[in-house]
Amino acid sequence: MTSTRTPITVAYGDGIGPEIMAATLQILEAAGAALDIETIEIGEAVYKRGISAGIEPSAWESLRRTKVFLKAPITTPEGGGFKSLNVTVRKTFGLFANIRPCQAYAPFVSTQHPTMDVVIIRENEEDLYGGIEHRQTEDVVQCLKLITRPGTERIVRYGFEYARRYGRHKVSCFTKDNIMKLTDGLFHEVFDEVASEYPDLESEHWIVDIGAAKLADTPENFDVVVLPNLYGDILSDVAAQIAGSVGLAGSANIGQEVAMFEAIHGSAPRRAGQDLANPSGLLLGAVQMMVHIGQGDVATKVHNAWLRTIEEGIHTYDIFTPGHSREKVGTSGFADAVVARLGEIPEILPAVSYPISSEPIRIELSPRHQSRKSQAGIDVFVEWDPNDVESLAKGLEECAGPDFRLLMITNRGQKVYPGGAPETFCVDHWRCRFEGNDSDIVTTSELVSLLGKLDRAGIPFIKTEGLFRFDGKPGYSLGQGQ
Ligand code: IPM
Ligand code: MG
């Protein structure tokens, strides 16, 4: 038997983590899961030892060895210096796809959306989660939003492949590309490109505000939803909550080699140590893990016993509602109830059936086109008196010639020179756009000389961004009001 056991790494986490992990492992074991468990310590205790990532080298070694991580929620200490361990693990191992099924279990768990069955597929590494933030001036901080073509293609393809594999019919995508024309625009563009390769699946794009409103109002009209990281973070909580409870949703973080399985909720320290917490989110994450490691029979058994427990009204406090619920149980009572039902299938809720073993979804990226890149100019960001665009413009105009011309100055993206509106509120952070005077070709020495002139003129620049054309097409946004 031992030789067929699958090694996995387990972390008990913080807050309610240890209790819900114990419950989850108890159920897996009773269901006959063939696991060889390595336990690692992560989270609060490790942070408190002064390790800012919350994870030690030996734990990384375990994860590299087993390539499968069942993780309970952890608490990231508040305040500067500590990094989110979730994000670190996801990015270190390239766990690019975050799969979050959000399903209603009506009438046993109250919901306004009894037929809801949505899978959120969230990009897991990029977007505003890069954590690249800077304070640039007295008044202004910024966060860099990075969207990449390969990162987007991976997640979008994963969404379509997932839909095909699990017999889903529609893939929706939400972005805000009416505002973020380049970043969200790329996500949308790649979505449309990939969608055209899956004519068997319906596809649609919504602007995220109205898309989110529709998802919250009529989730039964959605099936698989593919989202950039931050929208996916927000909308997976919304979707899980309106399906019944964030406490019921599990999540799989999938990479090419390594995968991590977890609940979508946090460590809920206020509920810790009282045998109260609902282990269902982590348990359903573990069900995804069992499918992933080729023990689909165990996944089926556990999931069906869990459904049976839920429909019998054996509920933890968080989903207990008089009328729907029959018996209020704690964490361990719930685990015992699921164990007692192993081998049963639900009578009213649809039973699940996973293939015993299934190949992981593998993603091949399409061949890349190499664009011709040229530099047309530069945006120089400077710190300057919020109330004195005139003196700034004068100084910049003097620095521009003969290689450049000053095209515009914007403040928080709004054009204020030439020809700004007197009402526009300004801060001490100015974007000054210089375009090369001789066609497209701006040289590095011209750029350096421009910056040298600004320096000598006493105009402090805080950063620059190149204005590049790709196959002649501008790779930068225009100023609002330009
Ligand atoms: C999640 C969580 C994490 C995230 C936090 C804990 C870093 O909210 O898994 O959704 O933002 O991704
Ligand atoms: Mg979240």
Side-chain angles (χ1 to χ4, degrees):
M1 258 319 269
T2 325
S3 61
T4 61
R5 289 179 177 272
T6 307
I8 68 165
T9 302
V10 162
Y12 281 77
D14 302 314
I16 57 170
E19 297 158 80
I20 62 173
M21 182 59 83
T24 297
L25 293 178
Q26 179 198 337
I27 296 165
L28 291 182
E29 194 183 325
L35 300 173
D36 196 357
I37 294 174
E38 293 184 14
T39 303
I40 59 171
E41 193 189 28
I42 55 166
E44 227 171 3
V46 182
Y47 286 115
K48 283 191 179 141
R49 287 206 288 275
I51 296 165
S52 70
I55 176 165
E56 288 186 335
S58 58
W60 286 116
E61 281 160 30
S62 170
L63 294 171
R64 279 206 179 87
R65 201 164 38 238
T66 66
K67 300 185 171 22
V68 181
F69 188 16
L70 182 60
K71 187 188 80 48
I74 59 151
T75 307
T76 310
E78 283 176 26
F82 300 107
K83 283 193 278 223
S84 160
L85 175 68
N86 277 37
V87 176
T88 305
V89 174
R90 290 170 186 165
K91 297 212 298 203
T92 302
F93 290 122
L95 311 183
F96 65 94
N98 193 326
I99 319 304
R100 302 186 152 185
C102 301
Q103 202 186 336
Y105 306 99
F108 308 104
V109 178
S110 27
T111 173
Q112 311 225 11
H113 310 285
T115 60
M116 175 172 180
D117 180 11
V118 172
V119 180
I120 302 282
I121 299 204
R122 159 186 179 192
E123 197 288 315
N124 217 20
E125 300 178 278
E126 314 194 329
D127 191 358
L128 288 159
Y129 273 70
I132 308 174
E133 296 190 288
H134 294 96
R135 178 168 175 184
Q136 298 179 310
T137 67
E138 184 59 30
D139 288 347
V140 177
V141 285
Q142 77 161 18
C143 177
L144 208 55
K145 168 158 167 155
L146 294 175
I147 300 284
T148 73
R149 179 168 270 276
T152 304
E153 188 182 340
R154 294 219 274 188
I155 192 63
V156 170
R157 278 195 188 281
Y158 196 96
F160 281 94
E161 286 294 323
Y162 181 97
R164 247 188 206 164
R165 163 133 351 155
Y166 291 99
R168 304 235 162 208
H169 67 277
K170 183 164 84 171
V171 182
S172 310
C173 170
F174 300 172
T175 73
K176 190 76 185 174
D177 67 338
N178 54 341
I179 299 299
M180 283 159 280
K181 294 180 197 292
L182 269 77
T183 47
D184 282 27
L186 177 62
F187 200 94
H188 185 179
E189 184 183 312
V190 172
F191 178 79
D192 286 348
E193 285 168 18
V194 172
S196 70
E197 295 176 35
Y198 293 82
D200 50 316
L201 294 168
E202 210 183 307
S203 65
E204 63 177 12
H205 173 269
W206 291 98
I207 299 291
V208 61
D209 49 0
I210 184 64
K214 284 185 178 289
L215 178 66
D217 188 49
T218 46
E220 54 282 359
N221 292 341
F222 293 90
D223 195 356
V224 171
V225 187
V226 177
L227 298 163
N229 205 346
L230 183 62
Y231 309 146
D233 175 45
I234 298 166
L235 291 180
S236 57
D237 268 25
V238 170
Q241 186 67 16
I242 64 170
S245 165
V246 277
L248 297 181
S251 129
N253 300 258
I254 305 287
Q256 301 286 29
E257 296 292 331
V258 177
M260 171 170 80
F261 301 86
E262 58 185 344
I264 81 163
H265 60 74
S267 61
R270 281 188 308 143
R271 305 286 180 202
Q274 298 157 62
D275 192 32
L276 274 176
N278 187 348
S280 299
L282 185 60
L283 184 67
L284 293 180
V287 165
Q288 294 191 65
M289 176 184 78
M290 297 312 286
V291 175
H292 175 82
I293 63 175
Q295 297 185 36
D297 46 348
V298 178
T300 302
K301 200 169 171 184
V302 169
H303 200 158
N304 282 331
W306 180 81
L307 288 165
R308 185 79 193 108
T309 309
I310 294 294
E311 69 175 20
E312 280 193 44
I314 302 174
H315 293 170
T316 42
Y317 80 95
D318 55 318
I319 56 168
F320 190 90
T321 29
H324 296 304
S325 308
R326 215 164 45 82
E327 187 187 338
K328 194 185 274 183
V329 285
T331 314
S332 54
F334 186 82
D336 292 341
V338 176
V339 168
R341 284 160 187 76
L342 288 168
E344 294 182 28
I345 56 166
E347 286 174 9
I348 296 156
L349 292 169
V352 298
S353 169
Y354 298 103
I356 292 193
S357 73
S358 47
E359 280 299 300
I361 293 176
R362 293 251 168 240
I363 302 299
E364 297 283 336
L365 296 185
S366 46
R368 295 300 311 281
H369 155 82
Q370 197 59 47
S371 323
R372 191 175 41 80
K373 183 177 175 188
S374 59
Q375 186 157 4
I378 188 169
D379 274 347
V380 183
F381 292 76
V382 307
E383 179 161 9
W384 199 259
D385 182 344
N387 300 310
D388 193 7
V389 65
E390 283 77 22
S391 72
L392 176 62
K394 186 165 174 293
L396 293 170
E397 294 283 12
E398 281 165 14
C399 294
D403 297 330
F404 295 92
R405 65 182 172 277
L406 177 67
L407 211 65
M408 62 171 176
I409 305 173
T410 69
N411 197 290
R412 295 188 301 167
Q414 174 68 31
K415 184 165 75 90
V416 290
Y417 176 87
E423 297 83 0
T424 304
F425 177 73
C426 290
V427 294
D428 59 359
H429 180 276
W430 306 83
R431 187 261 304 262
C432 314
R433 175 160 292 181
F434 294 94
E435 220 178 37
N437 259 334
D438 45 354
S439 73
D440 250 12
I441 320 299
V442 169
T443 64
T444 307
S445 61
E446 286 171 349
L447 295 169
V448 170
S449 119
L450 174 66
L451 295 179
K453 284 191 210 166
L454 292 180
D455 182 37
R456 286 189 293 281
I459 302 173
F461 61 88
I462 47 187
K463 76 157 185 177
T464 67
E465 290 284 352
L467 304 178
F468 300 109
R469 292 179 195 273
F470 294 82
D471 292 335
K473 198 173 154 217
Y476 43 94
S477 56
L478 302 175
Q480 199 76 44
Q482 192 188 356

